[in-house]
Amino acid sequence: MKYENILSRLSNYPLIDFAGDKRTHCFPDAIVGLKIHDDLTVDPSLMKGNKSILDFRHFLDHAYQPRIKGSIPDKEQGVQLKLNQSASKHQVKKPKLVILSCSGSRALVNEDCLVKMAEDMGFRVTTELAKMYRLLNKSEVMVGVHGAALTHFLFLKPGSVLIQVIPLGTDSPAETCFGKPARELGLKYIGYKISPRESSLYNEYDQDDPVLTNPKGWQYTKEIYLDRQNVSLDMRRFHKRLLQAYDYSFKKINRQISYNQTTDLFKLC
């Protein structure tokens, strides 16, 4: 039932759980398998009505909003609305930052330092993702190391900021899988390419080893860069990117800049 909210909107028929339903089902025709345009991409020229990735984002809204609203008691929603209204009258709003945490490979080793730096900067920080859609839909910035978990950027609203931490040897998949799709969704995208010193591989190889100086080849990408690499951010270096994201988000939610305003910040770093 993990994907019930989405799957139930893709068919006019009730969902069938073949693990528990042993009946024989007959249909005049069926679509088996998936059609793909590109990584996390919807090509409008191949869609009826020229639908785009933005239409898929709206689709997710319609799928998850009833569930989210149903999980929040009416009384709590009313209290939160009053608090938001009161806050908007008496104080400025703080941007919310979500940090995606990975276990195993590509873990953010010094995540606690990142949390402290972001909070000192003025962010409201959370790493709790139990209510993924609800959380990201109300956040201004998301930070995560390149990996499958970054697909959750689809829950961010257009105009929000995605910061992708790009480990060594993952430049191409980082751009193809998340950079390009994020911009097509209307997000402000920042790609933060780590230096060799920020990689756990720095302690395993000589400084002039090609693994550190000239990463290339899918075999190396999978076996070394994806499966055996963690990240320890250089906080002084990363501070600049995070501060740019904060400045933009703070001004946007406090209506100091327009929704569609674009700055040099969000050209691929």
Side-chain angles (χ1 to χ4, degrees), residues 47-61:
M47 297 291 294
K48 292 181 179 179
N50 294 325
K51 291 185 177 180
S52 69
I53 190 68
L54 288 173
D55 293 288
F56 182 71
R57 176 63 177 72
H58 297 324
F59 171 82
L60 293 177
D61 272 341

Side-chain angles (χ1 to χ4, degrees), residues 171-189:
D171 290 17
S172 179
E175 169 61 15
T176 301
C177 297
F178 302 111
K180 181 174 176 285
R183 290 191 292 271
E184 290 178 347
L185 187 61
L187 301 182
K188 307 302 183 182
Y189 173 72

Side-chain angles (χ1 to χ4, degrees), residues 84-101:
N84 292 342
Q85 292 174 340
S86 176
S88 64
K89 293 179 181 179
H90 302 291
Q91 64 184 34
V92 295
K93 301 176 183 178
K94 290 185 176 182
K96 181 181 288 185
L97 169 68
V98 174
I99 300 175
L100 290 180
S101 303

Side-chain angles (χ1 to χ4, degrees), residues 8-254:
S8 61
R9 292 175 177 269
L10 294 177
S11 174
N12 294 325
Y13 298 93
L15 299 180
I16 300 172
D17 179 6
F18 286 105
D21 189 337
K22 303 303 182 182
R23 297 175 298 171
T24 298
H25 297 267
C26 299
F27 298 94
D29 55 69
I31 298 175
V32 180
L34 301 175
K35 297 179 179 179
I36 183 171
H37 297 167
D38 205 343
D39 292 302
L40 291 175
T41 297
V42 178
D43 185 345
S45 67
L46 301 176
M47 297 291 294
K48 292 181 179 179
N50 294 325
K51 291 185 177 180
S52 69
I53 190 68
L54 288 173
D55 293 288
F56 182 71
R57 176 63 177 72
H58 297 324
F59 171 82
L60 293 177
D61 272 341
H62 290 304
Y64 280 101
Q65 281 287 3
R67 179 177 179 180
I68 296 301
K69 290 180 178 179
S71 66
I72 307 174
D74 293 339
K75 184 177 181 180
E76 181 182 338
Q77 292 187 49
V79 170
Q80 187 61 49
L81 178 60
K82 290 181 180 180
L83 287 174
N84 292 342
Q85 292 174 340
S86 176
S88 64
K89 293 179 181 179
H90 302 291
Q91 64 184 34
V92 295
K93 301 176 183 178
K94 290 185 176 182
K96 181 181 288 185
L97 169 68
V98 174
I99 300 175
L100 290 180
S101 303
C102 297
S103 58
S105 181
R106 282 163 288 155
L108 196 54
V109 177
N110 56 344
E111 181 181 303
D112 55 337
C113 297
L114 174 59
V115 171
K116 185 179 185 305
M117 182 175 73
E119 289 177 339
D120 291 344
M121 194 175 289
F123 278 110
R124 293 178 293 147
V125 182
T126 181
T127 57
E128 174 57 54
L129 297 178
K131 300 293 185 182
M132 183 69 74
Y133 171 82
R134 177 185 175 189
L135 185 63
L136 291 174
N137 194 49
K138 295 181 178 295
S139 299
E140 284 72 45
V141 183
M142 185 177 91
V143 176
V145 180
H146 172 74
L150 279 188
T151 55
H152 289 101
F153 78 78
L154 290 167
F155 291 159
L156 291 169
K157 291 182 177 179
S160 301
V161 181
L162 171 64
I163 303 178
Q164 177 179 199
V165 178
I166 305 173
L168 298 182
T170 64
D171 290 17
S172 179
E175 169 61 15
T176 301
C177 297
F178 302 111
K180 181 174 176 285
R183 290 191 292 271
E184 290 178 347
L185 187 61
L187 301 182
K188 307 302 183 182
Y189 173 72
I190 300 175
Y192 176 80
K193 299 180 182 180
I194 71 169
S195 66
R197 289 180 178 272
E198 293 173 276
S199 170
S200 60
L201 300 175
Y202 188 77
N203 298 320
E204 298 183 31
Y205 295 89
D206 293 334
Q207 294 184 20
D208 57 352
D209 194 293
V211 168
L212 299 178
T213 61
N214 188 30
K216 61 182 179 180
W218 170 246
Q219 180 181 357
Y220 291 105
T221 299
K222 179 70 173 67
E223 296 180 1
I224 298 178
Y225 301 118
L226 293 181
D227 293 346
R228 288 175 41 206
Q229 180 175 200
N230 290 324
V231 174
S232 181
L233 290 175
D234 180 337
M235 290 303 162
R236 291 187 177 182
R237 185 167 175 257
F238 190 74
H239 182 275
K240 178 181 178 181
R241 302 292 194 277
L242 193 62
L243 184 61
Q244 290 171 323
Y246 175 82
D247 183 59
Y248 167 82
S249 301
F250 180 88
K251 290 178 179 179
K252 181 169 73 74
I253 64 175
N254 288 286

